[in-house]
Amino acid sequence: PALKGLTPTEEGEDSSSLPFGLIFSTFMVCCMAGSSLFSILVERIKVEVLGIGVLFVSAVSMMAIVFSTSDTVTFIFMNVFEMCVGMYWPIMGTMKGGIVPEDKRAAIYNLFRVPLNFIVLTSLLTDLTPKQSFIANTCMLALGAACQVNLMKRRLNVRNMDDLKVKAMQEEEKGGEDETVELTMGPDPPADSQALTSDDV
């Protein structure tokens, strides 16, 4: 419905002609690509910063779908959104594992489901058009991006992006110094070689 509802339908054209199997498989491939992209980027970028980027790109994708006048453009931005979905789950899993105490996870995760169920019920009980649904998604994703920015500032103890860049440079310099120390010291000699040396003496 989204692909046909956002663009003018030509006379005699039916939405059943859409290749739903190909569309769904493309979405799944994009979702897997997002998960793979996360595993690459997480080695260089903090998960809190990745979360901001994913939510921001998702909001932009939904907004582009709202104003799109082409099914092709709509489908492309849907694929971009699916890549963000693939990155979202490992990002949230990593952050929740470091923030939520293990002995309280069950109770807190159950509380998380309350607003989720409220949103689902609202979408089911209200007869929203596809365009209205994407507008609502854009607003919620933008709100999520703003909350993620606040979380990033609290977790990384920074006030703005300049502080974040300075902190990242300091960590890179510290990592380089640690590697230099390891290379200078060299590997420890095997235990058996030390025993042979003591016997010979």
Side-chain angles (χ1 to χ4, degrees):
L3 290 175
K4 290 302 178 183
L6 294 174
T7 57
T9 305
E10 297 180 1
E11 186 176 357
E13 189 178 5
D14 187 10
S15 61
S16 61
S17 61
L18 287 172
F20 293 108
L22 180 61
I23 292 172
F24 179 77
S25 60
T26 305
F27 286 166
M28 293 300 99
V29 170
C30 290
C31 189
M32 293 175 59
S35 299
S36 301
L37 184 61
F38 165 79
S39 62
I40 296 173
L41 295 178
V42 74
E43 298 178 356
R44 304 178 181 180
I45 305 175
K46 298 285 187 180
V47 289
E48 292 82 2
V49 180
L50 283 176
I52 296 173
V54 165
L55 292 171
F56 178 77
V57 173
S58 299
V60 172
S61 299
M62 293 290 103
M63 184 182 299
I65 293 173
V66 171
F67 295 102
S68 173
T69 58
S70 170
D71 283 348
T72 302
V73 175
T74 300
F75 183 62
I76 290 173
F77 279 104
M78 283 183 173
N79 288 327
V80 173
F81 177 76
E82 284 296 327
M83 289 190 66
C84 293
V85 171
M87 295 183 65
Y88 171 84
W89 293 113
I91 288 174
M92 289 298 116
T94 303
M95 287 197 299
K96 287 192 296 185
I99 296 174
V100 182
E102 187 174 358
D103 57 338
K104 300 179 181 178
R105 286 182 182 176
I108 294 176
Y109 289 177
N110 287 330
L111 290 176
F112 286 169
R113 293 189 178 95
V114 174
L116 175 62
N117 293 331
F118 175 77
I119 294 171
V120 172
L121 289 175
T122 302
S123 63
L124 292 175
L125 296 177
T126 57
D127 190 14
L128 297 176
T129 64
K131 188 171 184 178
Q132 291 172 341
S133 298
F134 286 119
I135 291 174
N137 290 339
T138 302
C139 295
M140 287 186 288
L141 288 168
L143 178 61
C147 293
Q148 181 65 25
V149 170
N150 187 29
L151 176 64
M152 183 267 295
K153 291 180 179 179
R154 291 174 178 270
R155 289 275 292 169
L156 302 182
N157 195 20
V158 295
R159 291 175 295 179
N160 49 45
M161 294 304 295
D162 293 335
D163 293 344
L164 181 62
K165 292 178 181 179
V166 171
K167 190 170 185 178
M169 292 177 62
Q170 292 175 350
E171 290 183 356
E172 289 181 359
E173 293 176 356
K174 184 178 180 180
E177 292 176 357
D178 293 341
E179 291 179 359
T180 303
V181 171
E182 291 179 358
L183 292 174
T184 304
M185 294 179 62
D188 295 333
D192 55 352
S193 64
Q194 293 179 353
L196 290 173
T197 303
S198 60
D199 292 341
D200 293 339
V201 173

